Amino acid sequence: MTDATPVSESREGAVAVLTLQSPPVNALGSALREGIRAAIERAEADPAVKAIVLIGGGRMFSAGADITEFGKPQSGIGLPDLLNRIEAVGKPVVAAIHGNALGGGLETALACHYRVAVPSAKVGLPEVKLGILPGAGGTQRLPRIVGPRKALEVIVGGAPIGAKQAAAMGLIDDLAPEESLRAHAVAFAERVAAEGRPLTKIRDREDRIAEGRDDPGLFDAFRTENARRMRGFEAPEACIACIEAACRLPFEQGLAFEREQFLTLVSGEQSAAQRYVFFAERQTAKIPDVPETTPARPVAKVGIIGAGTMGGGIAMNFLNAGLPVTIVETKREALDRGLGTIRTNYENTARKGRLRPEDVETRMGLLTDTLDLDALKDCDLIIEAVFEDMAIKQEIFSKLDRIAKPGAILASNTSYLDIDAIAAATGRPGDVIGLHFFSPANVMRLLEVVRGARTSQDVIATAMQVGRRIGKIAVLVGVCHGFVGNRMLAQRQREANRLILEGVKPWDVDRVIHDFGLPMGPFAMSDLAGLDIGWSRETNRSETVRDLLCEQDRRGQKTGAGFYDYDAKRNATPSPVTEEIIATVAARQGVAQKPASDQEILERCLYPMVNEDAKILEEGKAIRASDIDIVWINGYGWPVYRGGPMFWADGIGLRRVLERLRAYEALYGDAFKPSPLLERLAADGKGFKDL
Ligand code: 3HC
């Protein structure tokens, strides 16, 4: 056994077992690649070795290429060459997979002659999520083993699949018991060596790709079906083209085509952005004054106050994670309605085949409903999700202070209000925190964890951990109006509203934002959310465009009209009524009419957000610029291929952003006043990335 290299070599009879030892994920960096090459060549040259098993040490087989090496000069053997080398070994090479075999990790397994896995293993080619494609033969080998249709799903979808499913596709040759992968793989290797079976190289297989030759239309059909989710991204199309090439071209030519496409993508802006996001997501967990060793409080039972859309959605997260939830309302009807919605959501998911019918009952079985706040007395975490009214929230928290057991975490789902003022209603402000979910709360991945001035460290650690446990990306933010996400949104909304009063059509603003890559523009979004949030006929002052739209019962999609008119299928068309309303308000306010180019619309909507980000950072309301990017990507649909507003602004150059902000400041005043941080960075020729 030699431990000096990242591959340890040992012998089981006539089988050489090569164990990848590059924690934490066996990323295939240059040292590991060289280590594998050397070990493989030694085993091949040794006449006593009849077969080779390649297995991962630690948590997994391999998470693929070392992403940190992209964009740097390559040292040592490249992954494609290494894999060709493995495939050419004249003795059976068996990949033994546990944990994950992803990206280059799965490509390595595909270059082996056989693949054995434990049922809990996951395999996949997620490169598309990094803005690239499987660049070590994956686009050529996978279709040869599972056929082009499945290869499209795996490569363009990017989601990992379980070993059992992979075995059913022919991707895994044999499933091993969970606890004896190594022994099972060695026995498998001995058997194939003893049988003297010819070595099966995936490159030589032609049977499965015939489907792509016989039915070339399948690729266009896939493009059409998936157009929406691929919109704006470059990598998915390149993946499809490579799989098409696999069906059309001889293997070596297909590999060359794949390489060319890979190199184009990996040096492009989208991949740089998506790789940045990969690491940014992982950064969010790191909190300078809350070390990872901070002990978290146990959370085994959750209480939720409010069974409305938010409360119900929040409850589903915990039920999905197997945690019992007690949900409280003030009226029986509201409670029944809330429970009904949760059940319907689950049943719809089950109908689509994404949840087993028995799981609907298991999850509903974890839910207790009550009208009695006292029922929350043994909960470890209580989340208040009632409407945005400070007095009501304070009243609830002062009651909770009396009811909740010592050490329970008291959280508010407020999206704007001051957590410190809420905490002040209790005698235990250290236990109070904000957990801001985004609607629909059971779907959106973002969770803003809002730390108050006195929130204790272990409460923060627990909240971040709970976030991960329920599958969210938790980002720690500070107390300010709207926290990070909505505070930025307010900037965009203000400018969008000003633009339409100047005569730009709402649909033109929406088009520009949509073309930029967001799922919808500000007006389509308002229509979806409902224009009457926070509006009431009693307090209406008939001042804004929104006031006048609501007065006419144009309250958004739900009433069939808002900024847009909607048909029965909720298709939107521009509305002349809205245009008239806007003209009326503009005339009343004496707003000068002026056209704006698409570039101006974009700048005026997005640059104030970037400027606000700089203020958020200056005020310490976010830990790092990349956290802000993660908020906007996961809470508001900012296109991941643009890496978030801060990353995007860095790409433009902060000098340019500053110059445009100053120009707009001259026209529109303080709303565009550049933040001192932005000015300083621009003056130094730096970006947010340099902070
Ligand atoms: N390269 C470099 N670092 C990686 C990495 C990779 N492929 N995969 C994970 N890491 C790092 C993470 O950044 C993290 O570092 P940190 O501790 O400093 O924050 C550490 O390894 C542990 O990772 P996670 O926190 O993500 O661990 P999890 O257990 O939660 O998840 C995983 C494990 C599912 C494997 C997840 O890490 C993952 O999805 N990794 C990326 C998989 C991937 O995209 N592979 C394709 C790579 S590109 C490629 O292979 C190109 C080829 O086709 C040529």
Side-chain angles (χ1 to χ4, degrees):
M1 185 107 155
T2 45
D3 283 332
T5 75
V7 178
S8 61
E9 299 166 44
S10 64
R11 191 71 67 75
E12 302 268 351
V15 178
V17 180
L18 313 182
T19 309
L20 314 186
Q21 304 280 19
S22 186
V25 296
N26 289 325
L28 291 152
S30 62
L32 183 54
R33 293 196 305 270
E34 279 300 338
I36 297 173
R37 180 194 21 201
I40 284 273
E41 286 178 352
R42 265 194 295 276
E44 188 179 32
D46 185 342
V49 171
K50 301 293 177 222
I52 301 167
V53 166
L54 204 55
I55 190 167
R59 283 161 52 200
M60 65 190 73
F61 183 73
S62 168
D66 184 340
I67 304 167
T68 61
E69 283 187 353
F70 292 145
K72 297 182 188 153
Q74 183 182 303
S75 92
I77 190 168
L79 192 58
D81 290 340
L82 173 66
L83 301 194
N84 290 338
R85 181 73 192 83
I86 294 175
E87 197 174 42
V89 169
K91 303 171 180 179
V93 184
V94 178
I97 304 170
H98 76 294
N100 296 287
L102 299 177
L106 178 58
E107 290 176 298
T108 303
L110 288 171
C112 295
H113 306 113
Y114 299 96
R115 285 149 296 282
V116 174
V118 291
S120 63
K122 290 213 158 58
V123 301
L125 294 171
E127 285 89 341
V128 71
K129 296 188 179 159
L130 298 169
I132 51 173
L133 50 76
T139 66
Q140 305 303 298
R141 288 195 179 93
L142 190 72
R144 281 182 161 75
I145 196 163
V146 303
R149 262 180 232 280
K150 291 228 162 63
L152 283 168
E153 272 169 38
V154 172
I155 296 175
V156 183
I161 51 174
K164 284 190 194 157
Q165 197 187 342
M169 284 181 182
L171 185 50
I172 299 294
D173 299 292
D174 198 15
L175 288 170
E178 290 293 344
E179 60 297 338
S180 54
L181 174 65
R182 182 188 161 108
H184 193 90
V186 167
F188 184 95
E190 275 169 349
R191 207 163 55 240
V192 290
E195 285 168 3
R197 283 199 223 167
L199 295 181
T200 48
K201 295 182 192 160
I202 293 177
R203 68 163 64 214
D204 297 332
R205 285 187 57 175
E206 293 284 315
D207 51 324
R208 298 306 307 267
I209 49 177
E211 188 187 6
R213 290 193 193 126
D214 299 345
D215 177 15
L218 75 90
F219 297 100
D220 278 343
F222 184 87
R223 285 185 176 97
T224 312
E225 266 166 44
N226 294 282
R228 209 163 137 228
R229 79 181 156 114
M230 300 189 320
R231 184 178 77 95
F233 287 91
E234 289 161 2
E237 175 50 38
C239 291
I240 300 173
C242 285
I243 301 168
E244 246 177 331
C247 297
R248 203 166 26 89
L249 301 175
F251 185 77
E252 283 300 333
Q253 283 180 33
L255 272 190
F257 182 77
E258 177 195 89
R259 186 98 295 251
E260 187 190 299
Q261 298 284 315
F262 177 83
L263 291 175
T264 306
L265 289 176
V266 83
S267 56
E269 286 177 9
Q270 292 202 347
S271 169
Q274 288 176 256
R275 280 182 274 135
Y276 159 84
V277 173
F278 176 85
F279 291 110
E281 244 181 64
R282 281 154 181 81
Q283 280 287 309
T284 57
K286 295 172 183 135
I287 304 165
D289 67 328
V290 184
E292 275 168 42
T293 48
T294 310
R297 298 185 187 180
V299 174
K301 195 163 181 224
V302 178
I304 292 173
I305 306 171
T309 313
M310 277 320 278
I314 295 170
M316 288 176 74
N317 287 297
F318 292 98
L319 300 174
N320 298 348
L323 279 162
V325 172
T326 301
I327 193 160
V328 190
E329 256 299 348
T330 46
K331 298 220 167 60
R332 187 74 243 170
E333 310 80 75
L335 200 50
D336 288 344
R337 206 170 35 243
L339 256 58
T341 308
I342 296 175
R343 175 172 280 285
T344 309
N345 281 341
Y346 280 139
E347 283 172 353
N348 286 342
T349 312
R351 205 164 302 126
K352 289 179 199 147
R354 296 206 303 262
L355 187 68
R356 291 179 312 174
E358 58 269 34
D359 290 341
V360 175
E361 296 317 318
T362 312
R363 291 180 194 191
M364 291 307 291
L366 288 169
L367 186 60
T368 308
D369 59 302
T370 175
L371 298 174
D372 179 10
L373 207 60
D374 281 349
L376 302 182
K377 65 176 183 298
D378 59 347
C379 290
D380 305 302
L381 166 67
I382 302 174
I383 305 173
E384 162 277 312
V386 305
F387 46 80
E388 295 285 56
D389 181 312
M390 180 57 89
I392 295 180
K393 290 193 194 268
Q394 284 181 327
E395 192 191 326
I396 289 176
F397 273 75
S398 86
K399 283 187 187 155
L400 286 179
D401 195 19
R402 266 182 278 121
I403 295 167
K405 68 179 184 188
I409 296 177
L410 310 181
S412 172
N413 176 51
T414 180
S415 36
Y416 287 94
L417 299 175
D418 183 349
I419 296 294
D420 293 326
I422 296 174
T426 74
R428 38 173 135 172
D431 294 343
V432 178
I433 197 162
L435 289 182
H436 180 208
F437 289 82
F438 288 70
S439 187
N442 54 320
V443 177
M444 299 296 285
R445 283 185 80 206
L446 179 64
L447 176 67
E448 278 184 335
V449 175
V450 192
R451 99 187 271 175
R454 297 176 62 187
T455 309
S456 63
Q457 289 180 330
D458 64 336
V459 169
I460 295 172
T462 311
M464 298 296 287
Q465 231 179 59
V466 163
R468 272 196 296 281
R469 197 161 152 201
I470 59 173
K472 301 288 180 204
I473 297 185
V475 180
L476 189 66
V477 302
V479 175
C480 55
H481 188 73
F483 313 126
V484 168
N486 282 343
R487 180 168 161 181
M488 289 161 67
L489 181 68
Q491 295 291 319
R492 190 185 78 178
Q493 205 64 39
R494 185 198 58 239
E495 279 318 302
N497 286 335
R498 179 150 43 192
L499 279 161
I500 61 171
L501 289 184
E502 288 174 7
V504 177
K505 305 290 179 230
W507 19 100
D508 284 331
V509 177
D510 281 353
R511 175 182 50 76
V512 169
I513 297 296
H514 180 259
D515 287 354
F516 179 76
L518 280 125
M520 58 182 91
F523 300 105
M525 191 172 124
S526 302
D527 273 1
L528 178 67
L531 298 180
D532 54 353
I533 297 177
W535 180 90
S536 79
R537 206 169 277 285
E538 295 71 45
T539 54
N540 176 32
R541 293 196 302 199
S542 304
E543 269 177 8
T544 63
V545 172
R546 182 183 81 149
D547 290 340
L548 299 188
L549 286 168
C550 285
E551 270 172 33
Q552 297 197 20
D553 229 18
R554 300 181 66 93
R555 298 178 185 211
Q557 283 197 18
K558 60 185 173 188
T559 54
F563 281 96
Y564 294 83
D565 290 328
Y566 293 90
D567 66 14
K569 289 188 175 153
R570 297 204 171 189
N571 293 313
T573 41
S575 163
V577 181
T578 303
E579 283 189 52
E580 249 174 64
I581 290 176
I582 294 170
T584 310
V585 176
R588 248 195 243 156
Q589 295 184 8
V591 180
Q593 301 294 288
K594 74 182 246 329
S597 67
D598 286 359
Q599 182 63 21
E600 178 178 339
I601 295 173
L602 195 71
E603 289 179 357
R604 282 178 58 188
C605 286
L606 303 189
Y607 285 4
M609 282 173 49
V610 172
N611 195 32
E612 196 66 25
D613 289 343
K615 293 181 193 167
I616 287 169
L617 280 178
E618 268 173 330
E619 294 167 22
K621 303 299 180 192
I623 297 172
R624 47 184 90 79
S626 60
D627 282 8
I628 299 179
D629 285 334
I630 293 303
V631 165
W632 257 69
I633 289 170
N634 293 288
Y636 302 82
W638 180 280
V640 61
Y641 56 79
R642 292 192 196 273
M646 311 292 266
F647 181 89
W648 173 70
D650 274 355
I652 294 165
L654 295 191
R655 277 205 181 125
R656 166 83 188 153
V657 175
L658 180 68
E659 192 186 293
R660 298 305 301 145
L661 281 169
R662 284 193 180 134
Y664 291 122
E665 185 190 9
L667 291 169
Y668 299 105
D670 275 358
F672 286 91
K673 191 176 172 46
S675 87
L677 174 63
L678 190 68
E679 286 190 324
R680 205 175 64 235
L681 288 172
D684 296 347
K686 291 187 172 160
F688 293 116
K689 66 178 183 317
D690 301 310
L691 287 173

